[in-house]
């Protein structure tokens, strides 16, 4: 079945690109990594005003969703600009609380949709660490049939991406919901987290490829641009193919999520492994073709280079995602 974004969806992506281009995200990233969340929270508010975080929140709670296709459009742009903060986790929390319902949903979902609340979470089967919990207004944990609001996190640990700190929630915390609705809500949240992370990885890979193509056109060797060398062209072509093969899997997963298909989990896993591997391959290509300059802290591209592998492994490593595809 052919699939194309509508004119409105394409315009949504262009508007986010314009907003983020003007936001100087490398400066926001540096501040976030240093523990200054002010510029990042300000940018978060502008993204919320554009409707980004309302996409996973139902209309009954002040959102416009769930709209997975539009969420994919948004997250690709956020990945291209390396927006800091628990983007995938906040969207997933929207799906989690919408499935849970009750007072906790009424308390937190309007804030998520409006951008007033930045949320992180952990789910069984996806690791023990919450991303950017030190910058979040709430960290939710799910164990079995119980949803808890975790205590304030301790000192975060460093990760490969200095603008993405990890914290292990302390045991205990206040239970905010129990019952049979928790498990299916947690499964939906896991799918949303993996799906959003796949879109972020695809956008990250796109920016790495764009920057690398621009660089090899300028860098010369033996009196000619290195981009004219056949081996360089082949490497860039392989990187482009990987990203372009991942794109239809991402939007196919969005359609499955939107339709509530029982195969949505497998479709999300396929998109996640494809986009994650493609983004990481783009980082390896970018590092090799930039040469020694690719290792420097001063180069803004270093933030994208460091982000690609954590995005590949977050919310489902390649081996885990492949197993889910086979099981599905």
């Amino acid at each position: 079945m052919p699939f194309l974004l509508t004119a409105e969806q394409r315009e949504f992506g262009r508007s986010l690109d314009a907003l983020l281009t003007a936001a100087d995200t490398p400066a926001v990233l540096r501040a976030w990594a240093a523990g200054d969340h002010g510029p990042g929270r300000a940018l978060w508010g502008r993204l919320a005003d554009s409707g980004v975080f309302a996409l996973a929140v139902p209309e009954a709670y002040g959102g416009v969703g769930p709209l997975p296709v539009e969420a994919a459009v948004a997250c690709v742009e956020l990945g291209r600009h390396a927006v800091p903060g628990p983007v995938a986790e906040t969207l997933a929390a929207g799906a989690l609380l919408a499935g849970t319902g009750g007072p906790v949903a009424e308390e937190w979902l309007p804030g998520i949709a409006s951008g007033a609340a930045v949320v992180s979470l952990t789910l069984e089967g996806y690791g023990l660490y919450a991303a950017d919990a030190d910058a979040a207004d709430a960290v939710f944990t799910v164990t079995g049939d119980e949803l808890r609001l975790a205590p304030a996190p301790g000192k975060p640990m460093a990760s490969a991406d200095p603008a993405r700190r990890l914290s292990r929630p302390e045991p205990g915390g206040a239970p905010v919901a129990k019952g049979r609705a928790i498990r299916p809500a947690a499964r939906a949240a896991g799918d949303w987290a993996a799906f959003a992370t796949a879109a972020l990885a695809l956008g990250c890979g796109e920016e790495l490829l764009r920057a690398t193509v621009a660089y090899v056109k300028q860098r010369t060797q033996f009196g000619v641009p290195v981009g004219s060398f056949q081996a360089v062209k082949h490497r860039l072509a392989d990187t482009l193919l990987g990203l372009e093969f991942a794109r239809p899997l991402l939007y196919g997963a969005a359609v499955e999520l939107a339709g509530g298909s029982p195969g949505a989990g497998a479709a999300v896993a396929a998109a996640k492994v494809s986009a994650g591997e493609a983004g990481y391959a783009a980082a390896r290509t970018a590092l090799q073709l930039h040469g020694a300059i690719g290792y420097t802290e001063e180069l803004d591209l270093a933030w994208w280079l460091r982000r690609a592998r954590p995005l590949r492994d977050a919310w489902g490593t390649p081996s885990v995602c492949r197993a889910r595809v086979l099981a599905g």
Side-chain angles (χ1 to χ4, degrees):
M1 178 181 70
F3 177 83
L4 292 173
L5 295 173
T6 66
E8 291 80 6
Q9 289 164 341
R10 292 194 297 272
E11 181 57 32
F12 179 47
R14 286 193 291 267
S15 69
L16 290 176
D17 178 43
L19 184 158
L20 293 167
T21 299
D24 189 14
T25 52
V28 176
L29 279 162
R30 286 186 166 87
W32 191 275
D36 178 7
H37 302 132
R41 290 295 294 253
L43 178 57
W44 192 278
R46 294 199 291 275
L47 291 170
D49 291 341
S50 298
V52 170
F53 302 109
L55 296 171
V57 177
E59 293 183 14
Y61 297 100
V64 297
L67 295 175
V69 175
E70 286 77 5
V73 172
C75 287
V76 168
E77 291 302 324
L78 269 60
R80 284 183 59 233
H81 291 273
V83 171
V87 172
E89 291 76 13
T90 297
L91 290 171
L96 172 66
L97 298 178
T100 301
V104 65
E106 295 173 0
E107 179 182 358
W108 285 98
L109 285 177
I112 290 174
S114 70
V118 176
V119 178
S120 192
L121 79 164
T122 63
L123 300 172
E124 286 183 306
Y126 289 100
L128 301 174
Y129 295 93
D132 294 305
D134 58 318
D137 300 298
V139 178
F140 291 100
T141 64
V142 176
T143 304
D145 292 331
E146 188 172 71
L147 172 65
R148 287 179 171 268
L149 186 59
K155 184 178 179 181
M157 61 179 289
S159 71
D161 178 359
R164 179 184 172 86
R165 291 183 297 277
L166 303 175
S167 302
R168 183 169 181 172
E170 297 293 332
V176 292
K178 295 182 181 180
R180 289 180 295 179
I182 301 298
R183 289 181 187 270
R187 285 195 295 271
D191 286 343
W192 266 86
F195 168 71
T197 303
L200 292 169
L202 179 62
C204 179
E206 288 180 348
E207 176 57 20
L208 285 162
L209 178 61
R210 184 208 63 78
T212 305
V213 169
Y215 180 73
V216 299
K217 288 179 179 179
Q218 298 173 357
R219 179 186 171 192
T220 60
Q221 194 170 12
F222 306 116
V224 296
V226 297
S228 65
F229 299 158
Q230 199 73 5
V232 172
K233 291 180 179 180
H234 286 171
R235 185 68 184 265
L236 292 170
D238 288 344
T239 302
L240 176 62
L241 282 174
L243 294 168
E244 290 303 318
F245 272 108
R247 192 183 314 280
L249 289 175
L250 176 69
Y251 285 107
V255 172
E256 296 279 350
L257 281 175
S261 167
V268 168
K272 176 65 172 59
V273 68
S274 180
E277 294 281 35
Y280 182 51
R284 292 172 64 88
T285 296
L287 186 59
Q288 180 181 15
L289 297 186
H290 275 80
I293 194 175
Y295 290 94
T296 62
E297 291 284 343
E298 292 77 14
L299 183 70
D300 286 343
L301 196 69
W303 295 97
W304 281 259
L305 289 169
R306 291 175 171 182
R307 180 155 292 200
R309 184 164 183 170
L311 287 175
R312 184 196 70 171
D313 294 339
W315 296 103
T317 63
S319 60
V320 167
C321 289
R322 289 188 179 98
R324 287 176 178 164
V325 172
L326 291 173

